[in-house]
Amino acid sequence: MALLSTHDLTAHYGDFQALFGVDIDLNDGETIAIIGANGAGKTTLMRSIAGVLINGRDTVSFNGDAIGNATADAIMAMGVAMVPEGRRLFPSLSVEENLLIGTYGRKNGGHWNLDTVYDLFPILKERRNNPGTALSGGQQQMVAIGRALMSNPRVLLCDEISLGLAPVVIRDIYKAVPKIKEAGASLIVVEQDIGQAMQVADRVYCMMEGRVTLSGTPATLSRDAIHDAYFGAAA
């Protein structure tokens, strides 16, 4: 049984339908990547899993329980945390205060605390008293990841964590992924960068216009198949 799954998941913004019957599975200890162009439905999928968008009870399952209609705070308490697109730090709080926000509602115990987050991202310890938004974009992304880890999640949802960052910074951030997995988390990573997604993922799902158009392992998916699933096959 998968650790987390979606089942015929649909999602709407008012009258606009953003997802059409999406099925994905995440196994324990696995990293899956969700790729696709802007507007493909990737962020809507993440928001649906995290409880930001409420869906039918049976459309999302986690650890054997149906959670599709659970609230975001309840889902976080169960062990699913999201690193949102755009980082969403609190500008009035320091780096350390932003990290501590992640402990709200978490279960006792677990690998992640201030010391282990600072070991993962040493620059944050140096800047811990700085305002969270007074850092570089890459450092702010580290804070956002650390804040999510502070809840000690079993599943970490990472929505476009490389967006707008320089390649060298992206590499530094993705170096943290193996250490996060070693500490017991499984990951769903939303990426527009196909190359980066292929490097980090055990399996890949491609989305277009709210539907899954291709899935498989990086070793089995051809460049042409990914191109057609990402952009649509040429007529």
Side-chain angles (χ1 to χ4, degrees):
M1 182 178 65
L3 176 62
L4 186 147
S5 298
T6 67
H7 314 279
D8 196 24
L9 177 63
T10 62
H12 295 78
Y13 296 102
D15 293 333
F16 174 74
Q17 186 167 353
L19 296 180
F20 299 82
V22 172
D23 296 303
I24 68 165
D25 293 309
L26 173 70
N27 298 314
D28 196 15
E30 189 178 37
T31 297
I32 64 171
I34 312 293
I35 62 174
N38 283 335
K42 306 184 302 297
T43 292
T44 301
L45 173 60
M46 299 288 265
R47 287 164 61 87
S48 296
I49 293 171
V52 179
L53 295 176
I54 303 298
N55 297 282
R57 180 175 181 273
D58 294 327
T59 59
V60 183
S61 62
F62 172 62
N63 201 28
D65 296 322
I67 65 167
N69 62 348
T71 60
D73 58 330
I75 289 175
M76 189 193 75
M78 293 175 199
V80 180
M82 184 162 70
V83 184
E85 181 181 358
R87 301 180 279 272
R88 308 272 182 95
L89 303 185
F90 293 92
S92 62
L93 301 182
S94 68
V95 166
E96 190 156 298
E97 289 168 335
N98 268 283
L99 291 173
L100 289 170
I101 289 290
T103 65
Y104 170 76
R106 78 173 181 184
K107 298 177 182 177
N108 292 330
H111 175 80
W112 296 105
N113 53 46
L114 284 175
D115 289 337
T116 51
V117 169
Y118 288 150
D119 286 342
L120 185 67
F121 298 123
I123 189 63
L124 299 187
K125 186 171 184 179
E126 297 177 26
R127 306 290 173 84
R128 62 186 181 276
N129 295 319
N130 291 34
T133 53
L135 307 180
S136 69
Q139 291 164 2
Q140 289 184 41
Q141 190 65 76
M142 293 173 189
V143 176
I145 295 170
R147 179 180 60 192
L149 290 174
M150 289 285 284
S151 70
N152 282 294
R154 287 192 65 190
V155 173
L156 184 66
L157 310 175
C158 299
D159 192 4
E160 300 281 15
I161 58 175
S162 68
L163 190 64
L165 302 181
V168 65
V169 178
I170 295 170
R171 287 195 297 272
D172 286 344
I173 288 174
Y174 270 100
K175 284 178 183 177
V177 169
K179 296 178 182 178
I180 293 171
K181 291 180 70 174
E182 287 170 10
S186 306
L187 292 88
I188 302 179
V189 178
V190 162
E191 261 296 344
Q192 288 192 54
D193 185 331
I194 296 174
Q196 184 63 67
M198 292 299 195
Q199 289 179 32
V200 74
D202 299 299
R203 291 186 298 114
V204 178
Y205 290 88
C206 186
M207 294 185 67
M208 184 174 65
E209 296 179 350
R211 296 175 171 86
V212 173
T213 51
L214 184 70
S215 64
T217 65
T220 60
L221 297 178
S222 71
R223 184 179 297 271
D224 287 345
I226 293 170
H227 181 279
D228 289 347
Y230 198 103
F231 297 108

